[in-house]
Amino acid sequence: MSLLPCNPVGELSSHGNGHQARIHSRSRFFSTGQKVAVEKRGLLSKRYNSSNALAFPRQVVQYGSFISRPANYFAAMTKTTNKEPGTLPIRTQALSSKSLSSFITPEIANMNFFNRILLAWKILFPKTILVRGDSNAKIARQRLKMVLFSDRCSVSDLAKKKILENVVKTLSEFVDIESKDKVELNVSTDSDIGTLYSVTIPVRRVKPAYQESDENYKGQIVGIEYKDAGEKTGAVDVTFDFYVPNDK
Amino acid sequence: MPSLVLPTAYFSTKLSHRHHSTIPSATHSRRPHLAGDPPRTVVITSGKGGVGKTTATANLSASLARLGFRVTSIDADAGLRNLDLLLGLENRIHYTASEVFSGECRLDQALVRDRRFNNLRLLCLSKPRSKLPLSFGSKTITYLVDALKTLEPLNPVQFILIDCPAGVDAGFVTAIAPADEAILVTTPDITALRDADRVAGLLECDGIKDIKIIVNRVRADLVRGEDMMSPLDVQEMLGLPLLGAIPEDAEVIRSTNRGSPLVLNDPPAPAGIAFEQAAWRLVEGDTMTAVALEEADRPAKKGFGWFSFFGL
């Protein structure tokens, strides 16, 4: 499966997904036969310009041993252009080219060709990792947790009423409750804690005996903002919250 | 404690010399140390049917008998009887506990001795086709178990294993009445675990605080492939100590059909080894800690090895 011979790695990025998709289709063509050669030649003619003349054949040489039929084709190509001895190898060439994208790290560039094929394959066909949340055991565990919590801690209606009454009675020593009809008891499950009983009670206000000291309650500081106006002067905004009880 | 153990050991070795058992006796370099006060009454229950209670009872009692302890197994299912089939004693049951209570026979006549082990006895509660089904209550069976404990003062029974019927109705309540400990057998699927949780709650309400789990029919391949819950998950869910994790084994079916408990196989089957270990832990009052299964190496597929290059 020789995907990349026509396209040096440096070029891979510059065309985005469409380009990669074309690579994909071409890879499949490679295994079929004659039709391939035509298309390949066309691509080669596009790519084989002066800037890549050196890059292309060097790459070909490296993988030439792996491919059966196309190998002959590329071997023929290599013979014609393997005349420049003192040129830089492809890898450093690719690094120095401006069209190099950032994801070609030195590690990738220094991998040999077969590993690059491997990498490209893994990019194109990512292995579907079994997400823990989708596995049957995980689903079963979640369901079982919910079921066990609801089975273990299901409270009868009588008990619910009594809980509410007791809680309301205890709480009304300290606070004034808005309306006793709006009091609710909710049983829910939480994965960390377990079963949660939440009693919702609308509270009008705290009873005077249990309030914090009056002075504090008259003006509670809600917010402080420091505003730097200049070097010598500064301003501080302090926001107060005043509560004047109605029935005083 | 040592003084209690010594006379029993003396008796059991004497018996084994006299009667040559056909099954090669397990050569244990040491015997498990019996924890707790004998006789220990253990009920093996599950709630959901078909998870392997009777198999576990048969195999545990066979293991215990082979280890040298005096064991009496009680099939506490008054309507349907299965424990005798697993032990291979179905032809030898003539008297059951209902005949004892109606006065037709003595208690020791109703106890069927296993042909392989002298210290293993089986007691069935009633015959399935009896015309006068005697309904057993909690007090009746407690009286029966007390009588069993004091039956042979010279050679007292050390373990009484009660095989509980399925469900949580009257039969269940009857079976758990005389027990001090419980073994909860469950499989790692969600239905069995829900029922096991309910049963654990019922047991605790009834006063049995010592509950241990045996996870049966564990398929390691499914656990590894994240399709089945592991014994570790089961233990976490139920919050009870783990006595043993038994792998799924076809040998269970074969041994049931043969009428010989699985643990007596030579060479031992994997499930048999697990049952043996569970019996050992039961005696010593020990529990096991489940570990997460490790990912085994994938076997190299022949002929398609090169696909692995591409991550397939």
Side-chain angles (χ1 to χ4, degrees), chain A residues 95-151:
Chain A
L95 279 171
S96 59
S97 80
K98 296 287 181 210
S99 64
L100 188 64
S101 93
S102 59
F103 78 76
I104 306 296
T105 63
E107 291 87 32
I108 295 182
N110 283 331
M111 282 198 295
N112 65 27
F113 177 74
F114 193 71
N115 287 345
R116 270 189 289 218
I117 283 189
L118 209 60
L119 182 62
W121 186 265
K122 283 180 184 167
I123 293 169
L124 293 173
F125 309 110
K127 196 171 172 183
T128 51
I129 304 161
L130 193 67
V131 180
R132 272 242 354 146
D134 289 346
S135 66
N136 288 329
K138 184 78 176 175
I139 296 170
R141 247 174 266 144
Q142 284 295 102
R143 288 178 65 204
L144 187 62
K145 261 188 201 166
M146 292 296 135
V147 156
L148 286 184
F149 286 144
S150 66
D151 278 352

Side-chain angles (χ1 to χ4, degrees), chain A residues 1 114 117-118 121-122 127 130 132 135-138 140-145 147-148 150-152, chain B residues 189-191 193-194 197 225-230 233 236-239 298 306 308-312:
Chain A
M1 293 240 194
F114 193 71
I117 283 189
L118 209 60
W121 186 265
K122 283 180 184 167
K127 196 171 172 183
L130 193 67
R132 272 242 354 146
S135 66
N136 288 329
K138 184 78 176 175
R141 247 174 266 144
Q142 284 295 102
R143 288 178 65 204
L144 187 62
K145 261 188 201 166
V147 156
L148 286 184
S150 66
D151 278 352
R152 281 173 187 166
Chain B
D189 62 299
I190 187 171
T191 51
L193 285 172
R194 184 186 197 174
D197 188 61
E226 285 277 316
D227 279 327
M228 184 189 256
M229 287 189 264
S230 65
D233 296 329
E236 282 173 2
M237 289 287 158
L238 295 179
R298 271 176 61 182
W306 59 280
S308 68
F309 285 141
F310 300 98
L312 288 173

Side-chain angles (χ1 to χ4, degrees), chain B residues 20-195:
Chain B
H20 302 284
S21 56
T22 52
I23 309 293
S25 60
T27 50
H28 294 282
S29 54
R30 62 182 176 93
R31 221 170 133 227
H33 175 72
L34 180 64
D37 311 316
R40 288 174 59 175
T41 318
V42 185
V43 64
I44 295 164
T45 178
S46 77
K48 184 169 186 286
V51 299
K53 291 184 293 299
T54 312
T55 313
T57 313
N59 286 302
L60 285 177
S61 45
S63 290
L64 290 172
R66 192 163 60 163
L67 287 172
F69 295 100
R70 292 231 30 181
V71 183
T72 302
S73 307
I74 304 179
D75 188 353
D77 197 341
L80 307 167
R81 210 168 66 188
N82 286 316
L83 189 54
D84 52 343
L85 282 175
L86 281 182
L87 291 170
L89 304 171
E90 70 269 12
N91 295 323
R92 296 176 44 196
I93 298 192
H94 307 293
Y95 293 118
T96 65
S98 46
E99 275 98 31
V100 173
F101 278 113
S102 62
E104 287 174 33
C105 69
R106 298 187 312 271
L107 182 57
D108 55 296
Q109 285 177 314
L111 287 173
V112 181
R113 199 186 63 192
D114 188 80
R115 59 175 178 271
R116 287 167 287 250
F117 301 107
N118 280 310
N119 41 2
L120 173 59
R121 304 267 194 280
L122 171 66
L123 174 67
C124 296
L125 278 196
S126 70
K127 283 190 177 155
R129 275 179 285 145
S130 65
K131 287 182 185 155
L132 285 158
L134 187 69
S135 60
F136 278 86
S138 315
K139 288 187 182 158
T140 319
I141 199 168
T142 316
Y143 182 77
L144 183 69
V145 168
D146 288 338
L148 276 175
K149 287 177 186 174
T150 55
L151 189 58
E152 282 176 61
L154 293 175
N155 202 356
V157 65
Q158 290 168 299
F159 278 96
I160 300 178
L161 299 183
I162 305 175
D163 181 24
C164 185
V168 288
D169 56 350
F172 168 79
V173 171
T174 309
I176 66 174
D180 309 315
E181 307 167 32
I183 294 178
L184 198 56
V185 181
T186 178
T187 53
D189 62 299
I190 187 171
T191 51
L193 285 172
R194 184 186 197 174
D195 296 344

